[in-house]
Structure formats: C-alpha cells, structure tokens
Amino acid sequence: EVQLVESGGGLVQPGGSLRLSCAVSGFTFSDQYIDWVRQAPGKGLEWVGRTTNKATGYTTGYAASVKGRFTISIDDSINSLYLQMNSLKTEDTAVYYCARRNYNRFDYWGQGTLVTVSS
Amino acid sequence: QSALTQPPSASGSPGQSVTISCTGTSSDVGGYDYVSWYQQHPGKAPKLIIYEVSKRPSGVPDRFSGSKSGNTASLTVSGLQAEDEADYYCSSYAGSSNLLFGTGTKVTVL
C-alpha cells in the first residue's frame, strides 16, 4: 500500500525556521518525483516545489513564492523527503502536503501537516 | 506564473450535471495534455479524479469526465450525488517540471 506521511508541523514565529518530513512506503522512492503542495486556511492549493527521481539526479525546483527560502532534500536510505523552511512569513501558514507525482499528476497524497507562522 | 482560473462555485440538483472550467494559457493548459482534476472534501487531502485531460483512475466513477479545448479544460460531473459536494481543483503541467493549480471551485448539491 502506497503511503506518504508528513510530520514536523507546528507554531513558529515570523523569521523562524521549521523542517517538515515526508516518510514514504509502498513504492520505490528513488523511482518517483515527489512534490510539496500547501493550502492556506480556507484557500486553494499551491504548488511549493519538487524533487525529481534518482535517475535525473534528485533535481529540485521551487515556486517563486518560496524560492531562496525553502529547500527540499532527500534521504533515500530511509525513503524520506524533507522541506527546510527558513525566513518564514505569516503567509506561509498552511497545511503542507507531500504528494507522489506520476507523469505530472499527483496520484497519492499524505494527510498533511499544519504550519502556523505567528507571533 | 499565475494560478489557473476556475469559477468560485457551481451547483446542481441531484441527478443533474455540472461543468467546471479551468482556464490557463498556451504555456500550460493549452500547451500540454497534462491536465488533472482533484476532488477535496473538508479536512481531507485532495483525491485525483481525472488525469491527462480525460482519463479516470481506477475506482473513479464514470460520472466524472474531462475535456480540453485550447487553453481551457473542463470537468463534468453527471448524475450529481450528495457525496460529490466538495471543492474541485484543476492542475496543469507548465514546463520545466513545474505544475500550476487552479483557484478551486466549490460544488454544491442542492
């Protein structure tokens, strides 16, 4: 069974940092692209960033709104993906999902983890 | 890159059909056949219901159908049922391994 499980959310002050984790199981981690998608309270989905697969060098890409502040990393020895978030702003408050990308569609999603940026 | 444009709301009575549009540009919706649609119930993660414009994943009822013309994609839900009441989002490949989401449409079953 394919599973993605996010963790690491919480309350952080503006300007602070937080690292989210996404643990995956049920598929070969190194074969797939995995993305981060977020959803602010009462708002729509926003693509945050992605890592490609091992064959393409685990290349990362980011939305303009987070580029330079957020960094995606992977540890394929434990089938995990991370989202390091620095210089957090109140507008980064959202539920953060990791999702498996399969030919440019997200076929499996995690349950999400809530990040609240507030003083 | 801006979000794809969807109507904020749509509604229909049980058994009726509702169609949701998703408008982008030639750099995303119009340029690739990688349009997907997601259904999201309150407090839940999105669920893939249409991919590559008109294909349905296993287990998704054939009441859900998708199409595309130019820079606009559409999702039609036929034979509306109470459980179809949810938020719906389109998504499109936009080049350079990037993806865009639509603004979302709340479907209400009257």
Side-chain angles (χ1 to χ4, degrees):
Chain A
E1 179 190 9
V2 172
Q3 283 193 314
L4 298 95
V5 180
E6 304 93 338
S7 60
L11 175 64
V12 60
Q13 292 189 336
S17 298
L18 203 62
R19 189 177 86 151
L20 305 183
S21 300
C22 172
V24 312
S25 60
F27 65 93
T28 304
F29 178 88
S30 59
D31 286 348
Q32 301 288 338
Y33 288 31
I34 301 177
D35 293 53
W36 288 96
V37 176
R38 68 183 180 182
Q39 186 170 34
K43 302 297 184 181
L45 301 172
E46 180 187 14
W47 179 76
V48 172
R50 54 88 179 134
T51 179
T52 64
N53 56 17
K54 186 174 184 178
T56 54
Y58 291 128
T59 304
T60 55
Y62 304 92
S65 58
V66 306
K67 197 170 186 178
R69 300 188 299 123
F70 289 13
T71 303
I72 294 172
S73 61
I74 64 100
D75 185 343
D76 58 6
S77 68
I78 57 170
N79 293 346
S80 291
L81 178 79
Y82 306 97
L83 181 66
Q84 176 68 43
M85 304 185 294
N86 298 330
S87 303
L88 281 162
K89 307 174 182 180
T90 55
E91 53 263 40
D92 295 318
T93 294
V95 173
Y96 285 73
Y97 297 99
C98 59
R100 187 179 83 166
R101 186 194 298 206
N102 186 2
Y103 290 101
N104 295 313
R105 62 186 182 267
F106 299 121
D107 57 355
Y108 289 94
W109 297 69
Q111 83 289 349
T113 186
L114 175 63
V115 172
T116 303
V117 184
S118 175
S119 54
Chain B
Q1 288 167 317
S2 300
L4 308 174
T5 301
Q6 297 180 232
S9 63
S11 62
S13 299
Q16 290 187 330
S17 295
V18 64
T19 297
I20 303 165
S21 61
C22 169
T23 301
T25 69
S26 58
S27 297
D28 37 71
V29 174
Y32 307 94
D33 284 336
Y34 285 120
V35 175
S36 303
W37 290 89
Y38 301 87
Q39 177 191 62
Q40 187 181 35
H41 288 108
K44 300 293 187 182
K47 173 188 173 184
L48 178 69
I49 56 173
I50 294 288
Y51 66 97
E52 291 176 12
V53 177
S54 59
K55 298 177 181 178
R56 278 178 288 105
S58 174
V60 173
D62 59 6
R63 302 185 292 103
F64 294 91
S65 62
S67 63
K68 188 183 86 167
S69 177
N71 296 337
T72 299
S74 298
L75 172 73
T76 298
V77 186
S78 306
L80 268 174
Q81 299 183 5
E83 61 261 36
D84 298 332
E85 185 160 297
D87 293 325
Y88 292 82
Y89 294 91
C90 63
S91 174
S92 174
Y93 183 66
S96 301
S97 294
N98 298 330
L99 285 165
L100 284 176
F101 283 102
T103 49
T105 299
K106 181 176 180 58
V107 169
T108 301
V109 181
L110 301 171

